């Protein structure tokens, strides 16, 4: 009886730890999401501002009404575009409660990569994925793993912003070993300054110009909470690769 | 005189077309391009350098605004560039200005500011173009000078008085004065000061180095 209670308690503690991590990870992700969303919403807003200014000027000097109508239609369409972006954001925030479940990594990586395609395009980054091509099932919290990958992709994008002289490349790779799944996020950015070393895993230490630098510290905690490991390798001037592992599971994926 | 156009490059169709609307609502001429590459291809098809002003989004897939600036510095150094940056992206704005952009504007735009910036660039481009035309004219006219007139001009440019030039070339000071007056006629200037100013300008310009 006593054993069962202790086990239950331990389970509950682990669960609470994941909830806390999730919130921290969400905050770290939000930090970046805000920047991205701001950019995305700014586009239609800019178009609306331009079109409406054009309408006002056209109406002031009695220009053809048909032209003004065309512009008003565009304002309408752009307002809808902005509202769609807000809806996507809401859906993202609402996503899932903490529930470890069987997750297939290949499709998850693809989904996350798709989510960041627009930002990658805007930043002139060639974002590629290299799936394992076989089932890579792990027991994990889907949202947390998604956020880890999102954070790592976000970090890589920040690093690539400093690259002007060559094509900016970002690759997310999934590979299956005997008992583990390895996920790597590689960029050909400036790499991590050697003087930072392991300190990049400390909270508030960052080579980025913005952000709190919470990302990597939280990512590592999330992966370790899942029984995996997260490491960083980098060649200054040539790029950086963040790799993390997750344990495979024999369980089948539930629909 | 036809109005020189504002060339706009942005990968976001809505931004591109709304800018087109804004400029055309105040009667300005616009040419839009969906990417830096499309604009470069357009430049390749032109027989003479473009006049006007370029408005380009700094963050675009493919060739970025900064990369385009580097190419333009080689091919169209006189075309003024205004870059469009995301709100608060000061770092990018600084880089663009260092790469030779005349100005930058943040999204979303204050249309009055944008229109003023573009007008200022167009005016500056017009002045540059006039100066270039003047240089071109000076160059063409100087090419028509005779060998002897050239020798006289070279000595004039060294600041030598007629008498010394005459001694140097073994001709009479009066003949030097005739040459001097012919040179001024051919170059189309009324004073010696103006002649010297034009020649110095030409010598300092890339036209001179190229020739």
């Amino acid at each position: 009886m006593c054993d069962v209670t202790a086990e239950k308690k331990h389970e509950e503690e682990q669960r609470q730890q994941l909830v806390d991590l999730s919130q921290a990870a969400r905050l770290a992700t939000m930090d970046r999401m805000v920047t991205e969303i701001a950019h995305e919403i700014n586009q239609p807003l800019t178009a609306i501002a331009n079109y409406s200014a054009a309408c006002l000027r056209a109406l002031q000097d009695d220009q053809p009404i048909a032209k003004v109508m065309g512009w008003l239609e565009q304002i309408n369409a752009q307002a809808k575009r902005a509202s769609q972006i807000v809806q996507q954001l809401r859906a993202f925030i609402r996503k899932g409660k903490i529930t470890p479940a069987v997750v297939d990594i290949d499709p998850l990586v693809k989904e996350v990569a798709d989510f960041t395609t627009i930002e990658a395009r805007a930043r002139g980054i060639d974002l590629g994925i290299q799936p394992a091509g076989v089932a890579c099932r792990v027991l994990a919290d889907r949202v947390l793993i998604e956020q880890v990958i999102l954070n790592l992709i976000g970090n890589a994008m920040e690093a690539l912003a400093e690259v002007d002289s060559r094509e900016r490349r970002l690759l997310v790779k999934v590979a299956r070993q005997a008992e583990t799944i390895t996920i790597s996020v590689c960029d050909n950015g400036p790499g991590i300054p050697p003087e930072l070393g392991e300190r990049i895993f400390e909270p508030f230490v960052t080579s980025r110009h913005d952000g709190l630098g919470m990302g990597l510290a939280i990512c590592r905690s999330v992966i370790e909470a899942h029984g995996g490991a997260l490491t960083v390798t980098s060649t200054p001037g040539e790029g950086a690769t963040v790799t993390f592992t997750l344990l495979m599971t024999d369980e089948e994926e539930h629909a | 005189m036809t109005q020189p156009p504002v060339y706009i490059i942005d990968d976001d169709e809505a931004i591109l077309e709304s800018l087109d609307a804004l400029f055309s609502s105040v009667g300005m001429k616009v040419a839009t391009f969906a990417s830096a590459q499309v604009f470069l291809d357009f430049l390749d098809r032109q027989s003479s350098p473009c006049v006007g002003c370029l408005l380009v989004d700094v963050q675009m897939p493919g060739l970025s605004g900064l990369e385009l600036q580097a190419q333009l510095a080689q091919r169209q150094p006189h075309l003024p560039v205004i870059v469009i940056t995301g709100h608060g992206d000061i770092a990018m704005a600084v880089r663009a200005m260092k790469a030779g952009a005349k100005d930058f504007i943040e999204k979303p735009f204050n249309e009055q500011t944008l229109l003023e910036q573009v007008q200022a660039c167009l005016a500056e481009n017009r002045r540059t173009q006039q100066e270039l035309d003047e240089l071109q004219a000076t160059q063409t006219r100087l090419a028509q000078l005779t060998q002897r007139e050239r020798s006289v001009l070279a000595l004039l440019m060294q600041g030598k008085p007629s008498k010394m030039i005459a001694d140097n070339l073994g001709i009479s000071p009066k003949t030097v004065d005739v040459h001097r007056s012919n040179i001024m006629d051919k170059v189309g200037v009324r004073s010696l000061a103006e002649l010297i100013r034009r020649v110095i300008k030409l010598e300092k310009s890339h036209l001179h180095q190229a020739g």
Side-chain angles (χ1 to χ4, degrees), chain B residues 63-102:
Chain B
L63 206 61
S64 77
L66 287 173
E67 286 157 344
L68 174 68
Q69 274 188 280
Q71 295 220 17
L72 283 179
Q74 304 285 325
R75 297 163 60 165
Q76 296 263 321
H78 302 296
L79 188 66
V81 178
I82 300 175
V83 295
I84 302 170
T85 64
H87 180 68
D89 196 350
I90 302 300
M92 193 58 104
V94 171
R95 284 165 81 188
M97 297 284 280
K98 278 187 182 159
K102 288 277 173 259

Side-chain angles (χ1 to χ4, degrees), chain B residues 123-207:
Chain B
E124 191 195 294
N125 184 235
R126 213 158 22 237
R127 279 195 302 275
T128 314
Q129 214 52 49
Q130 274 167 5
E131 281 196 8
L132 282 175
D133 288 349
E134 191 189 282
L135 283 175
Q136 193 73 57
T138 310
Q139 195 182 36
T140 314
R141 287 167 175 179
L142 285 175
Q144 289 162 2
L145 298 185
T146 64
Q147 198 55 52
R148 179 47 59 101
E149 282 164 351
R150 271 173 224 211
S151 311
V152 173
L153 179 62
L155 292 166
L156 274 174
M157 291 303 292
Q158 289 169 20
K160 295 196 167 143
S162 293
K163 190 155 183 336
M164 209 182 276
I165 296 174
D167 284 352
N168 258 336
L169 298 176
I171 52 178
S172 76
K174 213 167 165 129
T175 313
V176 171
D177 287 342
V178 171
H179 281 312
R180 201 173 84 172
S181 147
N182 285 344
I183 293 169
M184 278 162 48
D185 277 353
K186 282 188 180 174
V187 179
V189 293
R190 288 209 202 102
S191 70
L192 185 60
E194 179 65 8
L195 175 69
I196 291 170
R197 188 186 70 81
R198 292 232 189 152
V199 174
I200 289 175
K201 244 191 178 170
L202 182 66
E203 279 175 353
K204 279 188 182 162
S205 75
H206 71 287
L207 280 178

